[in-house]
Amino acid sequence: MSNSPDADNSALEIWGQHSLSGNVTISGAKNSALVVMAGVLLCSQPCRLRNVPNLVDVERMGAVLKALGVKVKRDQDFLELDPSDISHTRAPYDIVSKLRASFFVIGPLLARMGVARIPLPGGCAIGARPVELHVRGLQAMGADVQIEHGTVHACIPGIRGRLKGAKIYLDYPSVGATETLMMAATLADGETVIDNAAQEPEVADLANFCRAMGARIRGVGTKTLTISGVPSLHSTDYAIVPDRIEAGTFLIAGAITHSEISLSPVVPEHLGAVIAKLREAGSDVVSESHNRIKLIPGDEILPTNIQTLPYPGFPTDMQAQFMALMTLSSGNSMVTETVFENRLRHVAEFGRMGANIRVTGNCAVIQGVPMLSGAPVMATDLRASAALVLAGLGAQGKTIMSGIHHLDRGYEQLERKLTQIGAHITRLEGADAQAAVEIDGAAATVQQRQV
Ligand code: UD1
């Protein structure tokens, strides 16, 4: 693992207002890698994945697959997965409870083995996150699905039965439900149509991976996916797409520090909404080649409203980072979160740095301030942790961010990549981290009392 083994006892020390410059290498997409790893279960031959980011979440998905009997071998950004001998059909609770995406093994496991027992993932910091769309879709394909004692028990009735193709309409274009049902349908008997499917690039990446294994899927990247089931899938070698959320996070790092930075490899079309909103906020993003873009910062950060939506709308996974930028804008902005019900917890932490934000329901009204000041802050979830790093880069003085186990779940060496382009960030471990949090926390309390 590239990041700290004990991130619970670590903290990041960030010195703000340093200019950045240079090129950042963007890793493979976390959300693609996780679901493509689950998708390997559909095949009974070894598969090789390339451009797999080295992340705690990826390690956890590897552990779930190992528990099912998959042989997992990692070599730099390659992952060799051999699912020839699946020995178990029950995923371990202790890992599923830490990694919601591991629930997504239910579709491929059921389709290939005829049975799957997966603990309910439960809620998480950003909301309740139910799975009824996954369950209803599998039932429509003929699976018998019961939820008992917190575990989803799914099986295909009959001996050596196959799921059956079905017409499925999703009430909401859920990314996970689309992925679960698309994977299940690849091995079903007959044709499955998923209407109101999620169009996220990671869903398309999974579809392309399944096609590389011989699956027959039409409508990739659209709202209607048509999957003609095949009896079996074969081995493949597949490269994960670049992470659009990591790329978006770095674009904001450039905008908030008024720095010109380049990013590659990226798929610029995957960043459409983020680039449009960055332009509204006064920066520009230009193409340097087919897979390389450059952020050109504006003199002023302009107030900009965003509303999170399913793709191609503005991604909920970029909401906190964009809000960090808006805290320093020259006016009032509104951020409306429509995808998850509890995803504004970072607001209180921005407040500690001097941001002026008022929350009503799922809306945050941000009155831009001329300056943020470094402070001790606590990351509340994965994207909030990245947003606090960004705020720290734009703030005057020192920010100490704890809770960096969230960051390590989904960003491959964020602080190293930022340091390489000029940021002043250090990872403090153990006693050093503890001391920094305590000293800075005490200083902040004194300052607050004096105000
Ligand atoms: C995926 C991403 C996550 C991203 C999210 C939305 C992965 C591993 N994670 O999560 O980073 O923030 O898409 O882009 O790919 N819902 C239901 N019932 C269901 C399923 C979902 O009500 O059965 C609701 C959820 O509670 C949420 C909304 O639908 O409010 C969106 O969730 P979904 O698109 O399923 O997100 P995930 O696949 O969990």
Side-chain angles (χ1 to χ4, degrees):
M1 195 51 241
S2 55
N3 293 311
S4 163
D6 192 7
D8 279 353
N9 295 323
S10 308
L12 287 187
E13 179 181 283
I14 305 152
W15 287 94
Q17 298 194 332
H18 289 278
S19 294
L20 311 179
S21 72
N23 183 62
V24 181
T25 302
I26 300 300
S27 302
K30 169 185 84 84
N31 288 349
S32 273
L34 294 177
V35 72
V36 165
M37 286 170 75
V40 168
L41 288 167
L42 289 165
C43 169
S44 47
Q45 296 170 347
C47 289
R48 187 161 186 259
L49 305 180
R50 285 173 281 133
N51 204 27
V52 179
N54 196 357
L55 301 169
V56 170
D57 272 7
V58 167
E59 263 190 16
R60 287 183 177 149
M61 184 59 102
V64 170
L65 296 180
K66 272 188 200 161
L68 298 173
V70 178
K71 294 186 191 73
V72 180
K73 207 168 113 202
R74 173 127 211 167
D75 182 11
Q76 296 179 30
D77 70 342
F78 296 105
L79 204 52
E80 313 250 354
L81 299 169
D82 181 353
S84 328
D85 298 311
I86 301 293
S87 49
H88 290 84
T89 51
R90 177 193 285 273
Y93 170 75
D94 60 324
I95 311 175
V96 177
S97 62
K98 290 196 196 105
L99 175 63
R100 188 190 143 80
S102 58
F103 183 79
F104 303 170
V105 299
I106 193 167
L109 198 57
L110 178 65
R112 164 128 174 252
M113 306 301 291
V115 55
R117 283 163 297 171
I118 318 292
L120 283 168
C124 70
I126 60 176
R129 310 191 79 172
V131 290
E132 87 286 356
L133 297 173
H134 305 237
V135 168
R136 273 197 255 138
L138 292 173
Q139 285 170 331
M141 296 169 79
D144 179 4
V145 187
Q146 311 285 340
I147 301 178
E148 282 167 9
H149 306 294
T151 295
V152 181
H153 296 253
C155 67
I156 305 175
I159 301 163
R160 297 188 185 281
R162 282 172 76 186
L163 290 167
K164 293 185 178 31
K167 277 201 174 309
I168 299 168
Y169 170 78
L170 293 178
D171 290 340
Y172 183 89
S174 154
V175 172
T178 304
E179 292 170 341
T180 290
L181 301 175
M182 177 169 68
M183 288 188 278
T186 58
L187 293 178
D189 187 12
E191 188 176 271
T192 299
V193 179
I194 307 174
D195 248 328
N196 200 27
Q199 301 172 79
E200 268 68 3
E202 296 75 24
V203 177
D205 204 31
L206 173 67
N208 289 331
F209 166 69
C210 291
R211 290 210 286 208
M213 291 193 296
R216 292 171 56 205
I217 307 176
R218 302 196 304 279
V220 174
T222 74
K223 275 175 177 300
T224 304
L225 292 169
T226 305
I227 304 115
S228 303
V230 294
S232 64
L233 297 174
H234 55 73
S235 161
T236 191
D237 183 318
Y238 190 80
I240 302 294
V241 285
D243 196 315
R244 67 193 167 106
I245 305 299
E246 187 195 14
T249 302
F250 277 102
L251 287 176
I252 293 181
I256 207 164
T257 57
H258 301 279
S259 306
E260 242 179 63
I261 57 171
S262 300
L263 315 178
S264 64
V266 294
V267 182
E269 307 86 75
H270 293 173
L271 286 155
V274 173
I275 291 175
K277 286 295 168 179
L278 274 168
R279 287 192 176 129
E280 225 178 295
S283 292
D284 197 9
V285 178
V286 296
S287 161
E288 292 191 306
S289 75
H290 72 286
N291 70 354
R292 185 179 164 115
I293 54 176
K294 184 193 231 176
L295 182 285
I296 300 171
D299 295 334
E300 190 184 332
I301 299 170
L302 303 174
T304 306
N305 299 334
I306 59 160
Q307 181 178 26
T308 63
L309 287 168
Y311 189 85
F314 191 92
T316 176
D317 286 353
M318 282 298 301
Q319 178 257 104
Q321 300 92 311
F322 202 85
M323 191 188 289
L325 182 64
M326 287 305 100
T327 61
L328 287 169
S329 81
S330 54
N332 290 337
S333 317
M334 192 191 290
V335 166
T336 310
E337 173 60 55
T338 75
V339 179
F340 290 107
E341 71 272 20
N342 191 19
R343 209 172 196 180
L344 293 171
R345 289 172 65 204
H346 38 277
V347 165
E349 298 304 305
F350 288 148
R352 298 173 66 81
M353 303 176 75
N356 185 350
I357 308 175
R358 212 162 14 88
V359 174
T360 314
N362 64 339
C363 287
V365 176
I366 303 123
Q367 193 177 340
V369 292
M371 189 192 85
L372 292 177
S373 49
V377 289
M378 167 72 81
T380 50
D381 69 57
L382 166 57
R383 303 306 171 184
S385 67
L388 289 169
V389 171
L390 295 173
L393 293 176
Q396 197 175 59
K398 179 172 70 169
T399 294
I400 299 282
M401 187 183 83
S402 41
I404 59 177
H405 56 282
H406 291 295
L407 194 68
D408 292 344
R409 277 189 43 220
Y411 284 90
E412 191 173 46
Q413 302 197 353
L414 184 72
E415 77 262 24
R416 187 179 60 80
K417 290 185 184 183
L418 282 167
T419 306
Q420 279 172 348
I421 56 170
H424 291 213
I425 304 186
T426 315
R427 182 175 286 238
L428 307 173
E429 313 275 0
D432 288 347
Q434 194 66 32
V437 171
E438 276 165 15
I439 292 164
D440 272 61
T445 313
V446 171
Q447 260 176 21
Q448 276 163 9
R449 284 205 196 105
Q450 285 167 348
V451 169

